[in-house]
């Protein structure tokens, strides 16, 4: 499990010539850091007298953020597994016609998996942005910059995951699959560009 | 050292009600992941026959990226220390006039330090974006999405660090200090918004 490695060792492996971990794992970590920072803002708002009015909303947001953090932390490793499965499929034998057909199908299956993993990461990052947007105007002002960082990290995670969808799409022959995934991704990207900026601007407005 | 903790534990502490680690450490990690991904692209381009023409540039970029990664990894902890020093200054006694003067000076010094640490992080992230922009058009096409993720991570790190500069600025009385830092930051943000998008678009263009 990559998440059990030290931050230092993870960065060493990210930088190395090994193809994994790569940008997909980095995207999941950005999303997980975003979720963690939403949780931090909630934890430092809950129980404070000045913020009694938003206590219930903060409690609800905290449990949503923690569930997202768990999902995104698991995705750090999912991305590596999906990539390894794809590499394994490419290495299948292709001497006979039967082997070639089998290999072709295995590659197509692995490509779909290697597309759906970053798509799930993108979806989770989009949900983190929604939570950052929710806490930005109402969370404890003393730590509100962390809601801004949450939104920036999750949006970078979303766009990074998108690159990992785009890299596989041209090799996938199932055009319905590609179309449906691209549409979902485009919707998320369009929706979250504005949402992330809104959270950032709200935070900036409360810092002055 | 935070970087010696597991990724999992770091995320737990980021989410907790402890005020550190917070967004400043997350910003440094985003920058360090960006630098690591630039290194990865270099490592997977160097020594490949198809990329002999850019070998020297990749070697140079690799050593620059590794130096930046080292600086940014150290900043994960620098941010915590700057915050702790500021909290310690606020807790100094203020019963006598002498104590109040001493405390006031200590707070101002700690605020400047807590501003210069994220400013150095912003600067390092800006340099990572330049490297991502350099490798995006010439790095190994098979891993070029990682150059895009590098640029996105470093830009989110830069904007996150900026929020940590803005949060302290209103409390700093030395207006020359605030003006000079704000100007440097504004220049970096303006320059890097375009640079980061350019790296991203270059990568997108090479994925299709």
């Amino acid at each position: 499990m990559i998440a059990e490695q030290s931050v230092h060792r993870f960065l060493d492996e990210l930088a190395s010539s090994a193809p994994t971990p790569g940008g997909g794992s980095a995207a999941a970590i950005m999303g997980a850091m975003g979720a963690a920072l939403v949780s931090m803002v909630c934890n430092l708002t809950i129980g404070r007298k000045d913020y009694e009015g938003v206590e219930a909303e903060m409690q609800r947001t905290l449990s949503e953020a923690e569930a997202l953090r768990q999902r995104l932390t698991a995705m750090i490793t999912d991305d590596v597994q999906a990539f390894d499965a794809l590499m394994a499929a490419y290495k299948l034998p292709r001497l006979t016609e039967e082997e070639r057909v089998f290999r072709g199908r295995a590659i197509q299956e692995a490509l779909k998996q290697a597309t759906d993993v970053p798509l799930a990461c993108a979806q989770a990052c989009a949900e983190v942005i929604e939570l950052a947007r929710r806490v930005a105007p109402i969370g404890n002002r003393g730590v509100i910059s962390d809601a801004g960082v949450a939104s920036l990290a999750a949006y970078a995670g979303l766009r990074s995951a998108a690159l990992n969808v785009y890299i596989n799409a041209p090799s996938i022959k199932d055009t319905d699959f590609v179309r449906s995934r691209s549409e979902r991704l485009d919707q998320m990207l369009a929706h979250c560009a504005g949402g992330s900026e809104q959270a950032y601007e709200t935070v900036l407005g409360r810092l002055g």
Side-chain angles (χ1 to χ4, degrees), chain A:
Chain A
M1 260 291 276
I2 293 176
E4 301 311 325
Q5 288 178 1
S6 73
V7 172
H8 207 132
R9 169 129 186 248
F10 169 74
L11 290 168
D12 281 347
E13 299 203 348
L14 196 61
S16 81
S17 61
T20 58
S25 295
I29 289 187
M30 286 191 267
M33 290 200 297
L37 286 165
V38 169
S39 293
M40 181 190 175
V41 174
C42 293
N43 276 319
L44 285 162
T45 305
I46 291 163
R48 305 281 168 123
K49 234 188 144 143
D50 290 350
Y51 297 93
E52 270 175 354
V54 296
E55 175 109 7
E57 194 159 1
M58 285 290 162
Q59 288 283 10
R60 185 165 59 89
T61 305
L62 175 60
S63 74
E64 289 177 39
E66 287 299 281
L68 282 167
R69 180 159 74 93
Q70 208 170 345
R71 271 165 59 194
L72 283 155
T73 304
M75 289 177 196
I76 304 171
T77 302
D78 289 351
D79 186 79
V80 174
Q81 285 168 344
F83 183 89
D84 290 347
L86 182 58
M87 288 304 106
Y90 276 116
K91 282 178 189 154
L92 285 171
R94 47 177 164 170
L95 292 173
T96 68
E97 179 59 24
E98 204 176 24
E99 281 176 350
R100 280 191 286 276
V101 170
F102 181 82
R103 177 176 174 271
R105 282 191 193 138
I107 290 171
Q108 287 299 312
E109 271 317 298
L111 281 168
K112 288 182 177 179
Q113 185 61 15
T115 300
D116 277 344
V117 165
L119 197 71
C121 179
Q123 175 67 46
C125 287
E127 292 173 40
V128 171
I129 293 169
E130 282 308 302
L131 299 187
R133 213 170 136 183
R134 193 193 294 167
V135 300
I138 57 172
N140 183 341
R141 191 163 163 264
V143 291
I144 207 60
S145 64
D146 294 301
V149 177
S151 162
L152 291 167
Y155 185 53
L158 165 56
R159 295 185 78 197
S160 297
L163 284 178
N164 283 281
V165 172
Y166 297 143
I167 203 170
N168 292 317
S171 311
I172 297 175
K173 290 174 183 160
D174 181 345
T175 51
D176 287 346
F177 178 94
V178 172
R179 193 181 317 112
S180 72
R181 268 59 175 182
S182 299
E183 279 173 12
R184 269 178 61 197
L185 195 58
D186 289 347
Q187 280 168 10
M188 276 190 253
L189 286 166
H191 180 72
C192 290
S196 169
E197 274 321 294
Q198 198 193 335
Y200 185 81
E201 291 297 327
T202 302
V203 166
L204 267 190
R206 293 185 73 200
L207 287 182

